Amino acid sequence: QVQLVESGGGLVQPGHSLILSCATSGGIFSTIVMGWFRQAPGKEREFVAAHSRIGGSTYYSDSVRGRFTISRDNVQNTLYLQMNSLKPEDTAVYYCAARRSAGGSYENDLGYDAWGQGTQVTVSS
């Protein structure tokens, strides 16, 4: 069973940057695809970005494309999310997730098998 632990959240001013990390342990074969999701108060959880071990392909939601970068260190078994030009609407709890399968839509949270506990990101002046 893979375990995921996020870190790096916090309070940041608009226009500034943060980097989130997700440390993984156990069940490396269960992490063919890893992704970041977020959930703001009163809203449903939404897809942010995903990274596939197959070819290193990356995927982004329209709301973060060009500002956020997902990357993965396969030696350290760590997933990252570099967040630049942060906006107040990026405020949410950010979750790391992993899935065994490379098929299907990476934007669908139902396709993920393991989740971290979440880390709060607050963008405010």
Side-chain angles (χ1 to χ4, degrees), residues 6 9 11 15 24-25 56 60-61 75 83 90 103 108-109 119 125:
E6 303 98 333
L11 173 63
T24 66
S25 60
Y60 298 94
S61 68
V75 174
M83 304 185 295
D90 294 319
N108 187 347
D109 60 357
T119 185
S125 55

Side-chain angles (χ1 to χ4, degrees), residues 25-63:
S25 60
I28 192 171
F29 295 106
S30 299
T31 62
I32 297 298
V33 174
M34 294 193 70
W36 289 97
F37 288 76
R38 66 186 182 186
Q39 187 167 22
K43 295 186 176 181
E44 292 189 355
R45 186 163 56 190
E46 66 171 355
F47 170 77
V48 175
H51 180 285
S52 172
R53 280 182 176 270
I54 302 174
S57 300
T58 56
Y59 308 84
Y60 298 94
S61 68
D62 290 341
S63 62

Side-chain angles (χ1 to χ4, degrees), residues 37 45 99 105-113 115:
F37 288 76
R45 186 163 56 190
R99 51 184 285 172
S105 171
Y106 298 162
E107 299 183 15
N108 187 347
D109 60 357
L110 296 178
Y112 289 78
D113 309 296
W115 292 83

Side-chain angles (χ1 to χ4, degrees), residues 76-99:
Q76 298 293 329
N77 291 327
T78 302
L79 182 74
Y80 300 99
L81 185 68
Q82 174 71 49
M83 304 185 295
N84 298 329
S85 303
L86 283 161
K87 305 175 181 180
E89 51 263 43
D90 294 319
T91 296
V93 176
Y94 283 70
Y95 297 91
C96 172
R99 51 184 285 172

